[in-house]
Amino acid sequence: MAIKLPTTKLPAATQDPQNLIIYGLPKIGKTTVLSTLDDNLILDFESGSKYVSALKVEINSLKDYAEVYKALKESEHKYKFITIDTVTALEEFVKPLALKMYRDTPAGANYTGDILQAPMGIGYSFQRAAMESIIDKIKSVTDNIIIVGHVKDKSIISAEGKEVGSVKDFDLTGKAARIFAAKSDAIGFVHRDENSNLCINFETGGIASAGARPAHLANKDIIVAERQEDGTFISHWDRIYPSLKG
């Protein structure tokens, strides 16, 4: 069938960031802010949700993951959001799968060591492929996926080759952080403001690597969970996902 080229601008299909990455310092409240998002299933890969009331499933093995994925495929209820918490833990979690994938190739058939110690650095590509295979399967059973990560300090190098500062960045090994960020619709840094509200910062050129394609998020610092005097939070996730406004 011949492709019909448009003659007028086509409307945006959605303003929701269907592939969202958030990251922040340990214990800052990443899981707490996610627990305030309605119909969000948190897949907990590092036992970080024990003290938070949420829709959550703890995953400690590839067998656990396979059973959860099977249940999601067969469930009559399709979660609007599914969160991977955290992709930093997932990176370690997929090592046996990555090793199997490598051993299924002629070059890796007899390899028995750590996948990241495989010759010529090939193990990193298999680890990324293993992570992507799991994330892609989760994407297939939800409209919106949220990937949570930890933070690392990345050096800022001047034109003369000197370190002149640092910026907070998404913590993954090798090229994984850059590849996952490039595939996302938005990447935001989770922090608390002076009133202890939980915020997601999408500002480029700030203290953290961040950015967003949707116009309503680009270069914004958004209060997502507003802290009340009793310590509870009022959710404002509709500021991230406009479709929640109804």
Side-chain angles (χ1 to χ4, degrees), residues 41 43 45 57-75 79 82 93 134 137-138 141:
L41 177 66
L43 303 183
F45 284 88
V57 179
E58 192 167 311
I59 299 178
N60 297 305
S61 66
L62 286 170
K63 181 181 177 182
D64 288 349
Y65 161 74
E67 291 177 354
V68 169
Y69 173 62
K70 181 174 184 290
L72 285 167
K73 282 188 67 178
E74 296 175 352
S75 175
Y79 292 94
I82 296 182
F93 176 89
I134 284 182
K137 284 183 177 180
I138 297 303
V141 293

Side-chain angles (χ1 to χ4, degrees), residues 13-28:
T14 181
Q15 288 300 312
D16 289 352
Q18 294 178 313
N19 298 281
L20 173 64
I21 292 175
I22 64 171
Y23 70 103
L25 296 169
K27 309 298 187 294
I28 196 66

Side-chain angles (χ1 to χ4, degrees), residues 48-117:
S49 64
K50 292 183 181 296
Y51 302 102
V52 175
S53 297
L55 298 170
K56 57 187 178 179
V57 179
E58 192 167 311
I59 299 178
N60 297 305
S61 66
L62 286 170
K63 181 181 177 182
D64 288 349
Y65 161 74
E67 291 177 354
V68 169
Y69 173 62
K70 181 174 184 290
L72 285 167
K73 282 188 67 178
E74 296 175 352
S75 175
E76 294 182 0
H77 177 71
K78 183 178 182 181
Y79 292 94
K80 186 173 178 65
F81 307 93
I82 296 182
T83 292
I84 292 178
D85 188 9
T86 65
V87 72
T88 312
L90 180 65
E91 192 172 35
E92 183 70 24
F93 176 89
V94 300
K95 278 187 174 182
L97 176 59
L99 179 60
K100 180 182 181 303
M101 293 168 68
Y102 178 49
R103 285 174 55 84
D104 286 342
T105 69
N110 298 315
Y111 185 75
T112 58
D114 186 323
I115 185 61
L116 297 185
Q117 299 301 317

